[in-house]
Amino acid sequence: MQMQSVSEWLKSIGLEQYGPMFAENDVDLDLLADLNDQSLKDIGVASVGHRVKLIRAIAELQRSPSRADPLDSSDNAPALGLKPEVEGERRQLTV
């Protein structure tokens, strides 16, 4: 499912009340992947639970196989505080 606007996406996750806040702060689909906990606070999302839900929903958009180009970059995972999907091999190191 491809979203046409941030307000449609917010409605799909049950947080449509934040639509005006995202619009007032010029946050569009291209910028969603760059949001983190602090930027959500700055926008006006006071609820910790809602911020966590938003960050998880953004991460889900990034993992979605039918994702649109704006969220296609895996380079945004660190900005969201997320672990990369692919992890390297870990080995014990002794010095």
Side-chain angles (χ1 to χ4, degrees), residues 3 6-19 22 45 47 49-51 53-54 57:
M3 294 292 145
V6 171
S7 72
E8 285 179 25
W9 173 73
L10 288 167
K11 186 173 182 177
S12 76
I13 61 171
L15 296 174
E16 60 271 7
Q17 69 267 32
Y18 296 113
F22 277 68
V45 181
S47 167
H50 286 178
R51 289 195 308 268
K53 187 173 183 177
L54 285 162

Side-chain angles (χ1 to χ4, degrees), residues 30-81:
D30 292 335
L31 298 178
L32 278 181
D34 295 323
L35 296 179
N36 59 30
D37 189 64
Q38 184 59 50
S39 59
L40 290 170
K41 282 181 191 176
D42 293 345
I43 287 171
V45 181
S47 167
V48 173
H50 286 178
R51 289 195 308 268
V52 170
K53 187 173 183 177
L54 285 162
I55 289 170
R56 285 181 179 174
I58 291 167
E60 185 60 35
L61 278 175
Q62 289 180 296
R63 285 190 294 269
S64 170
S66 63
R67 62 185 172 210
D69 286 343
L71 301 176
D72 196 16
S73 174
S74 60
D75 295 337
N76 293 318
L80 294 171

